[in-house]
Amino acid sequence: MTCGTRFLARLSSLVVGAALALACWPTSLAAQAQATTGVIRGTVSDPSGNVVVGAQVTVTDVQTRFQRTVTTNEKGVFVAPLLPLGTYEVRARAVGLGERRQTGIVLRVGETVDLALKLEPVELAAVTVTATPVVDVSKVESSTRLPNQAVGGLPNNGRNFLNLTLLTPNVATVQGPDGDELTVAGQRGIHNNVSVDGADFNNPFFGEQRGGQRPPFTFNLDAVQEIVVTAGGATAEFGRSGSGFVNVITKSGTNEFKGSLHYFGKYDWLSADLAHGTQTLTPDFRQHQFGFTLGGPLKRDKAFFFIAYDQQVYDEIKQKTRPSSLALDSLTRWMDTAFAGALRGDFGPISRTNDARAGLVKIDWRLSDRHNLSLKYNHTWSKQENGTFDVDAWARSANGLEKDYSNGVNGSLVSYLSSRTSNELRFQYSREDRPRPYEGSRTSLLGPDPTQTGLRPFPDVAMDFVNGFRFGMPFFLPIDYYDTRIQILDNISYARGNHFFKLGAEWNRVNSVQTFIGFANSRYIFSSVTGFLNYVANDSLYVECRSGPTRFYTRTTGVCDLPADTIVGPVLLYLQQAGVDRSVRDAGTQSIPQNEVALYIQDSWKPDPRWTINYGLRWEAQIEPDPITPPASVFYSVYFDSTVTTPRGRFTFPSDGTIPSDWKMFQPRLGIAYDPQGDGRQVFRANAGLFYARIPGLNLASSRSTNGSVGATLFGSSATVGFLPPPSFPHQFPSTIPASAVFLPSVFVFDKNFRNPRTFSATVGYERQIGSDLGVSLSYTHARTDHLTRFFNANDPVFNNDTIGPWGTGPRQLGTLTVVQSTAKSRYNGVTVGLKHVFDPRLQFQLNYTLSFDKSDDDNERDPFTFRYAKANNLGPEYNWSDRDQRHRFNGWALVKLPGDFYLNNRVSYYSAQPVSEKCGAGNVGNGQRAGSPQDRICANGSVLKRNTLRKDNAYFSWDVRLSRPINAGRQGQAELIVEVFNLTNTDNFRDPAYGGLLFNFDGTIRSGLGDPRQLQAGLRWVF
C-alpha cells in the first residue's frame, strides 16, 4: 500500500471519530488564540449595573474604516473575533439608553481586549479614551510582544527580524555546528515554528526558518508590524513545534498613502580591530543596504495595498593571515607544486560575498461587510560566495557557493457568519530553492569526476589533530535542492455566554526534492600533515604503527613488525558513496513528501472579570513517505524480526525497513490568568501542555537512499588495510557497484518504534504594575522533552567482540548500522525576572534576566554522519549539561528621547559560555584539556567521563547604540539621520561552535574564531 493510500485511509477514520467527539462536546466551548488577528470582547451594562441583552456593539478601525457590529448575548457579553490589527473605536447602544463610545483601543496580534461598557441615560452619551494596559491580565501564555517602535527603532545589525527575537526571555542564539541556532526554553533549534502572517515560514528539510542562517534577511524590516515570541503556554491553535513560536505580522495599507526609503552603509575603515590570544582581525568589508515601503488605498474603505523591497550588497576578505606552524608550511609547499599547482595559494586570503534581495506585495480587500480577503506574495534571493565555512585553518577550496531563493503566496479569508460565529480560512503555496554548487579548484589530473559536474574537484581532505587543516570540496557538495509547501487551515469561532471557542483543522504537505551525493568525491581524514604527505608518496600500504605506549614507527608494507603492534595511521577514516546498480547521482536523487494534519478545539472562558481560563486539545500526525526500496527487497531484509546472540548479549534488529509515522500526537493545553483585585494591575499566570515537534526531511534522507540497495557508503582506514584498504590518494573505489558486489556497506535505518519528540512545558508567573507605567514580572519555566532523535550505531563492535558488530557477520554483512532512534531526552529549568516601561514616548524599555539549567543526553539535531556519544553500550555519562546550556542570559533595550529631538536607542545582550567535554587523562580523571572527539572521554580503565563538564571561551556581550535625529519637511514627510554602533565595547565574542575538534567535522556550515568587531553604520530614512 502506498503512503498516500495509507494516509487517506487513516485520516478518514480519524476525521470521522473527531467529528463524533466534537458533536458531543458542550456547546459552550470557545477559544481565544488568534494567529494573525485579534479579539475585542466585553460586557454591556445599564446605569444600575445590570447586563444589557441585545445591545448593538460596533467596532471600527479608524485607519481603514473597517466595521463590524455584534450583539450582546443573554449574559450581556459581546465578542468580536478575527479583527484586523489596528486602532479601534467601539460604540455600544441599546433601546432607551445613551450611546457609549470608547476610542484609542489598540488591538495587536493574538490579543484579546476586554471592555466593560456602561450605558448612561439617553441624554448622557459618554466618550472614553482607552489606554493600553501595562499588564495584560487576560493573557495566559508566556509570550513577549515587541512593539512597532522597538522593531523599527532599535539598532539591528543586518536588519533581520529574527535578530530581534533574542531580546525576549528564554530565547537565545547558541553557536551550533550548523550555524547560529535559535533556542527557546532550552529546546533544539530545529523544533521552533516561525510563521509570517499565519503561514509557516520554515524549511521542511533542514528544520530551520526559510532561508536558513546564511541570508542576512528574508524581508524588509520596515514591513514588520509586530513580532510575538511565545516561549510557553501556546494554545491548541499552535502546533508543529516542541519549542517556541515566533509569530510575525507584516504591515497592511490604510486609507492614507504612506511609505519609507532607507539606506544603511557599513565600511571597514569605520570598524575596530579585534584580538583574542594570538588571533587578530583587521576588518576588510563593505556593506550597503537599501530599500523602500509604500502602502495606501486602492479604493478607500474597500481595498488597500502594501509593498516592500530590501537589498544588501556585501563583500569581505578574511583569512588574510593564517596561524603559523611548520605543519602548515610543509602542506603549502606540497600544494604549490602538486597536480601542476592546482592548489597553489589555497591557504591565502578568502573573498566572500553576502548579497540578498527581498520583496513583498500585500493586498487587503473588503469583499463585503461579511468577508475580508488578504493576499501576499513574498520573494527572497541570496548568494554567498565562499559562504560555507569561515575557519582560519581551512583552505579556500574547502568552501562552496551558497544560494537560496524562495517564492511564496499566502492569504486568508475571514467571514463573519453571524453575530456569534466567524470563520477563517488561511492558505499558502511556497517553494524554496537552495542549490549549493562548487566553484573551487578542479583539475583533469585527478581523473574522472564522480559528481558529473565537470573536471574533478579535489577530495575533502582533513589532517592534523592540533590544527585541523582542511582542503578540497566539502563532502556534501554539490547539492541540488528545492522544496514546496501547500498549507490549508480553516477554523470556526463561536461565542456563547462567557465562552468563546474555536474549532480548526489543518493540512500541511511539504515535498523536499534533492540530489545529495555526499562522499561521492570521497573524504579522507589523516592523523597529521606528515602522515598525509608520506601516504601520497608511498601509496596506500604506508602505515604508522605503535608498539607499546611510547614507540612509534612506519612501514610501507601494510603491516607492522609484530602481531601485537597496532596500526594507528595515517588514514584515520576514508568514506565514499557509491550507487548500487546505478550512478551515484541517481542514487542520491529523491523526493521526500511529508504530510502533517491537525485538528484542535479550544475554549476561552471568563467565569468572572478576574479569571481567564483557556483549555483545549490538539491532535497532530506526521505522515512519512514510504522507503524507496520496498522492505522485502532491501539489502538487510533478511534480518527483520531476528535476534542475534553475542558474548555481550542478545540483540534484536532495530528496523522493519519502514519509516514510522506518528499518528498519536495528542496535546492537551491549559492556561490560567487571575487578576486578584480585578483592577487590571496584577496577574498570576500558569500554563501547561504537551507539544510535539516535526521531524525534518534531512533525518529521513539517508535511510531511504543509503540502504545497501540504492546506495552504499564504502569505508576504509589504515587500520583496515588488511581487508578494507583505502585507495591511494586521490584515487577512488568505483562509483557504481553491482548489487552482487556490495560488501560490508554502511546503511541507515529508522527504529521501528520511532516517535516524534514530545515536550511537556509548564510555566508559572506573576506580573504587577508599579506606578503609572512600570511593570515587573517573575516566572519559572520547566520543559521536559522525551523521544528526542538520536543517531546510534547498533552494529558497534562493543556489542560483540570489540572487533566486529553483531551484524558484521551472517548472510548480509553490515558495516556501520546507523539507527535513527527516539531515545534521547532533555530537561530545562529557567527563572526569569523582567522589568518594562513601554508607554512613555520619552522613555521605553524592556529588561529581562534568565537563570537557566539545561541538561540533555544528545544534542545532535540533524547530522546523520556523527555519533555524539563516547561508548554505544554506556550512554549514562552522556546526560549532563546540554550544548545549548547558558547559565546566565540578560537582554535589554531602551528607546530614549533626548532634548533637541535626538533619539538614543540601545540594546544590550549577554550570554554566558556554553559547555564542552573534557579529555580523560592519567588516573582515569579529567586532565583539564578539551576533548577532540567523544572517544577522548574514555579512560584507560574503560570508564567514561561525563559529557560537557568544561566551558568554552565563547561568552557573548554586545552593546549596540543608535543615535538619530528626525527632520520634518512638512507635507513632504520626515527625514531621519541615523548613526549606529554595534558592539560598542569591541568585545571579541569568540566563536567556538564545534562540539569537539575540527578534524572529525561533518557540519554543513561553521564559523569559528573572532566574532564581529565594533562597527559603525550610517543611515538615512525618509518617511512620508
Side-chain angles (χ1 to χ4, degrees):
M1 181 181 292
T2 66
C3 176
T5 307
R6 292 203 317 269
F7 164 53
L8 293 174
R10 298 287 297 274
L11 180 61
S12 61
S13 62
L14 284 166
V15 170
V16 171
L20 292 174
L22 296 175
C24 301
W25 203 283
T27 57
S28 60
L29 284 177
Q32 171 264 11
Q34 311 284 309
T36 61
T37 56
V39 177
I40 296 178
R41 68 190 290 181
T43 57
V44 178
S45 60
D46 63 18
S48 301
N50 300 314
V51 300
V52 178
V53 179
Q56 297 287 311
V57 180
T58 301
V59 296
T60 304
D61 185 331
V62 298
Q63 293 180 306
T64 65
R65 305 311 302 171
F66 163 80
Q67 284 190 348
R68 187 176 179 207
T69 300
V70 294
T71 305
T72 58
N73 61 23
E74 67 277 6
K75 294 189 176 183
V77 174
F78 70 91
V79 181
L82 300 175
L83 297 178
L85 310 182
T87 301
Y88 280 82
E89 174 188 85
V90 176
R91 294 174 180 262
R93 66 178 71 88
V95 176
L97 294 172
E99 180 182 87
R100 178 78 177 196
R101 183 162 64 97
Q102 199 149 332
T103 63
I105 301 170
V106 178
L107 184 62
R108 300 173 296 187
V109 63
E111 192 172 55
T112 296
V113 175
D114 283 299
L115 302 176
L117 303 178
K118 186 174 183 178
L119 303 184
E120 300 295 339
V122 67
E123 68 275 7
L124 299 175
V127 177
T128 302
V129 177
T130 301
T132 303
V134 176
V135 177
D136 186 350
V137 297
S138 64
K139 186 185 75 170
V140 302
E141 71 274 11
S142 306
S143 64
T144 303
R145 183 184 312 277
L146 290 172
N148 181 259
Q149 299 95 321
V151 173
L154 287 176
N156 185 346
N157 195 357
R159 292 175 51 82
N160 190 325
F161 74 93
L162 284 175
N163 186 279
L164 295 172
T165 65
L166 304 178
L167 296 173
T168 63
N170 286 303
V171 179
T173 291
V174 297
Q175 297 170 13
D178 290 307
D180 288 348
E181 298 171 342
L182 194 70
T183 175
V184 181
Q187 304 305 299
R188 293 183 176 182
I190 61 172
H191 293 166
N192 301 319
N193 192 346
V194 179
S195 69
V196 178
D197 292 326
D200 274 24
F201 202 74
N202 307 293
N203 182 286
F205 186 76
F206 295 99
E208 59 198 4
Q209 70 274 10
R210 190 176 299 167
Q213 295 95 349
R214 296 184 186 88
F217 49 74
T218 45
F219 47 81
N220 191 330
L221 188 64
D222 292 337
V224 176
Q225 179 169 340
E226 283 192 65
I227 300 174
V228 178
V229 180
T230 302
T235 57
E237 180 177 359
F238 297 91
R240 300 181 307 285
S241 171
S243 182
F245 299 86
V246 179
N247 193 10
V248 180
I249 301 299
T250 59
K251 294 177 181 177
S252 294
T254 66
N255 275 328
E256 295 183 40
F257 284 100
K258 295 181 180 180
S260 66
L261 296 168
H262 71 266
Y263 168 80
F264 292 92
K266 285 195 302 184
Y267 305 91
D268 48 28
W269 56 274
L270 294 173
S271 301
D273 294 349
L274 269 184
H276 182 93
T278 60
Q279 297 189 39
T280 59
L281 172 66
T282 299
D284 185 352
F285 72 92
R286 288 143 296 278
Q287 176 178 296
H288 308 275
Q289 287 185 331
F290 47 91
F292 71 91
T293 66
L294 179 64
L298 293 171
K299 183 177 182 181
R300 291 187 62 84
D301 298 342
K302 284 289 186 181
F304 312 91
F305 75 93
F306 182 83
I307 58 178
Y309 177 81
D310 211 354
Q311 182 171 345
Q312 173 171 296
V313 178
Y314 180 94
D315 63 86
E316 176 184 36
I317 299 176
K318 293 190 71 175
Q319 284 79 41
K320 291 189 290 185
T321 60
R322 304 279 187 164
S324 60
S325 69
L326 295 177
L328 180 59
D329 292 343
S330 62
L331 179 59
T332 54
R333 282 195 299 270
W334 174 83
M335 288 181 160
D336 287 343
T337 57
F339 299 95
L343 289 170
R344 184 179 296 117
D346 204 29
F347 276 94
I350 299 179
S351 299
R352 292 181 169 84
T353 64
N354 191 2
D355 300 335
R357 298 190 293 266
L360 178 151
V361 179
K362 189 175 183 180
I363 302 293
D364 296 284
W365 186 10
R366 190 165 308 139
L367 302 177
S368 69
D369 291 341
R370 291 181 174 269
H371 303 285
N372 287 345
L373 177 67
S374 179
L375 293 173
K376 186 190 71 180
Y377 167 71
N378 190 62
H379 170 75
T380 69
W381 175 94
S382 69
K383 181 174 74 172
Q384 297 87 37
E385 296 177 2
N386 292 318
T388 307
F389 295 125
D390 185 356
V391 181
D392 286 347
W394 293 359
R396 186 187 304 113
S397 60
N399 248 306
L401 176 61
E402 303 292 343
K403 302 172 69 175
D404 185 276
Y405 43 95
S406 68
N407 295 275
V409 177
N410 69 281
S412 66
L413 176 64
V414 175
S415 301
Y416 307 108
L417 306 179
S418 71
S419 180
R420 295 187 177 189
T421 308
S422 303
N423 190 83
E424 179 188 32
L425 171 68
R426 299 203 303 267
F427 50 90
Q428 174 187 195
Y429 175 81
S430 64
R431 169 169 169 156
E432 179 182 358
D433 290 72
R434 196 181 289 194
R436 305 178 73 181
Y438 182 71
E439 296 185 339
S441 301
R442 299 170 181 259
T443 175
S444 60
L445 299 177
L446 293 170
D449 178 19
T451 67
Q452 302 174 22
T453 57
L455 297 178
R456 186 187 172 196
F458 281 86
D460 189 345
V461 181
M463 65 193 73
D464 196 285
F465 280 103
V466 176
N467 297 288
F469 299 123
R470 188 172 181 179
F471 71 86
M473 184 176 72
F475 68 90
F476 47 83
L477 298 182
I479 297 175
D480 296 324
Y481 170 86
Y482 74 89
D483 66 72
T484 58
R485 179 185 296 274
I486 300 173
Q487 181 180 12
I488 300 175
L489 180 150
D490 190 80
N491 61 72
I492 188 167
S493 303
Y494 178 72
R496 178 165 179 168
N498 294 325
H499 296 267
F500 173 49
F501 79 85
K502 179 180 286 186
L503 170 67
E506 184 172 5
W507 173 53
N508 246 299
R509 185 190 187 276
V510 296
N511 189 27
S512 303
V513 181
Q514 70 157 353
T515 297
F516 177 78
I517 49 178
F519 304 110
N521 195 42
S522 70
R523 181 165 196 201
Y524 290 86
I525 298 179
F526 292 91
S527 57
S528 65
V529 173
T530 301
F532 164 70
L533 296 177
N534 286 332
Y535 187 85
V536 173
N538 293 285
D539 214 333
S540 59
L541 295 181
Y542 172 82
V543 294
E544 298 171 340
C545 300
R546 181 179 66 191
S547 178
T550 59
R551 179 173 178 258
F552 294 86
Y553 61 94
T554 63
R555 293 292 181 265
T556 58
T557 58
V559 295
C560 297
D561 293 344
L562 299 174
D565 293 349
T566 305
I567 296 177
V568 294
V571 180
L572 304 178
L573 182 65
Y574 173 83
L575 293 172
Q576 181 191 329
Q577 186 74 1
V580 178
D581 287 335
R582 69 200 78 191
S583 71
V584 68
R585 174 167 286 274
D586 289 342
T589 300
Q590 61 173 308
S591 171
I592 307 175
Q594 296 173 282
N595 286 276
E596 299 167 337
V597 291
L599 300 171
Y600 61 89
I601 187 167
Q602 60 186 31
D603 174 28
S604 179
W605 175 35
K606 290 189 71 69
D608 67 48
R610 296 179 301 168
W611 287 90
T612 300
I613 302 174
N614 287 356
Y615 57 96
L617 177 66
R618 181 181 182 90
W619 167 82
E620 288 180 346
Q622 185 174 21
I623 300 95
E624 308 295 6
D626 289 329
I628 296 175
T629 305
S633 304
V634 76
F635 179 84
Y636 50 82
S637 61
V638 66
Y639 295 121
F640 293 163
D641 299 319
S642 68
T643 300
V644 297
T645 301
T646 75
R648 305 288 170 80
R650 291 174 57 85
F651 302 95
T652 301
F653 195 76
S655 174
D656 60 8
T658 66
I659 303 174
S661 299
D662 199 333
W663 291 84
K664 300 179 180 180
M665 294 188 282
F666 291 94
Q667 303 164 67
R669 312 277 176 86
L670 173 66
I672 300 172
Y674 173 57
D675 177 3
Q677 302 299 323
D679 58 2
R681 296 181 63 89
Q682 62 179 321
V683 62
F684 291 92
R685 294 192 184 96
N687 57 69
L690 290 180
F691 301 84
Y692 280 86
R694 50 163 67 108
I695 301 299
L698 176 56
N699 288 353
L700 278 59
S702 293
S703 65
R704 303 180 77 231
S705 60
T706 308
N707 58 7
S709 298
V710 175
T713 300
L714 312 178
F715 67 94
S717 68
S718 294
T720 63
V721 69
F723 60 97
L724 282 175
S728 59
F729 185 86
H731 302 296
Q732 293 187 277
F733 299 131
S735 60
T736 299
I737 57 177
S740 59
V742 175
F743 174 67
L744 278 178
S746 294
V747 300
F748 291 74
V749 301
F750 257 76
D751 191 304
K752 56 189 173 186
N753 297 314
F754 184 87
R755 297 179 62 183
N756 282 44
R758 181 192 66 199
T759 299
F760 169 75
S761 176
T763 300
V764 293
Y766 175 73
E767 186 175 3
R768 183 182 182 91
Q769 179 178 341
I770 299 176
S772 60
D773 185 16
L774 190 67
V776 296
S777 61
L778 175 68
S779 65
Y780 163 73
T781 297
H782 171 74
R784 176 190 182 97
T785 303
D786 295 294
H787 311 310
L788 280 169
T789 302
R790 188 201 307 272
F791 298 98
F792 184 81
N793 181 13
N795 203 31
D796 195 297
V798 298
F799 297 122
N800 187 13
N801 57 10
D802 292 329
T803 301
I804 194 166
W807 291 280
T809 61
R812 292 282 185 163
Q813 300 175 27
L814 299 178
T816 301
L817 176 59
T818 301
V819 184
V820 186
Q821 298 182 338
S822 51
T823 58
K825 64 182 180 182
S826 70
R827 305 290 185 262
Y828 174 86
N829 294 278
V831 177
T832 299
V833 180
L835 182 67
K836 66 179 181 180
H837 181 80
V838 293
F839 298 118
D840 186 343
R842 296 169 300 175
L843 174 64
Q844 300 180 46
F845 64 81
Q846 284 188 6
L847 309 173
N848 62 80
Y849 164 75
T850 299
L851 172 67
S852 63
F853 303 86
D854 187 0
K855 287 191 170 185
S856 70
D857 61 1
D858 195 297
D859 294 309
N860 187 353
E861 302 207 0
R862 60 188 183 196
D863 177 5
F865 309 115
T866 305
F867 304 121
R868 300 291 175 88
Y869 51 80
K871 293 180 71 172
N873 62 345
N874 185 10
L875 298 180
E878 305 305 315
Y879 183 70
N880 200 27
W881 303 119
S882 162
D883 290 352
R884 299 174 297 274
D885 182 61
Q886 294 171 315
R887 187 70 65 248
H888 307 283
R889 290 196 288 247
F890 172 81
N891 293 290
W893 59 265
L895 307 177
V896 183
K897 184 177 182 181
L898 302 175
D901 278 342
F902 283 93
Y903 290 83
L904 184 65
N905 301 337
N906 300 258
R907 59 179 292 178
V908 178
S909 293
Y910 167 77
Y911 313 136
S912 56
Q914 297 170 234
V916 70
S917 294
E918 184 179 13
K919 187 175 182 179
C920 190
N924 301 307
V925 297
N927 63 4
Q929 297 178 12
R930 176 173 174 166
S933 69
Q935 286 64 43
D936 284 346
R937 294 164 38 221
I938 303 175
C939 300
N941 65 353
S943 63
V944 180
L945 296 184
K946 272 196 170 185
R947 184 174 68 103
N948 284 349
T949 54
L950 303 178
R951 291 283 161 170
K952 299 179 180 180
D953 184 16
N954 70 340
Y956 176 87
F957 175 80
S958 185
W959 178 15
D960 303 339
V961 178
R962 168 189 279 196
L963 178 66
S964 64
R965 174 64 159 83
I967 302 173
N968 288 318
R971 298 180 61 181
Q972 303 303 315
Q974 183 185 80
E976 185 179 16
L977 303 176
I978 301 169
V979 176
E980 295 176 315
V981 182
F982 306 112
N983 190 12
L984 181 67
T985 58
N986 202 34
T987 307
D988 61 42
N989 290 327
F990 194 73
R991 304 177 68 88
D992 186 6
Y995 73 94
L998 292 174
L999 185 60
F1000 285 88
N1001 186 281
F1002 291 85
D1003 301 327
T1005 184
I1006 196 170
R1007 179 183 174 187
S1008 180
L1010 293 167
D1012 293 326
R1014 179 173 58 242
Q1015 299 175 348
L1016 189 147
Q1017 175 170 278
L1020 174 65
R1021 295 181 73 243
W1022 183 275
V1023 180
F1024 56 91

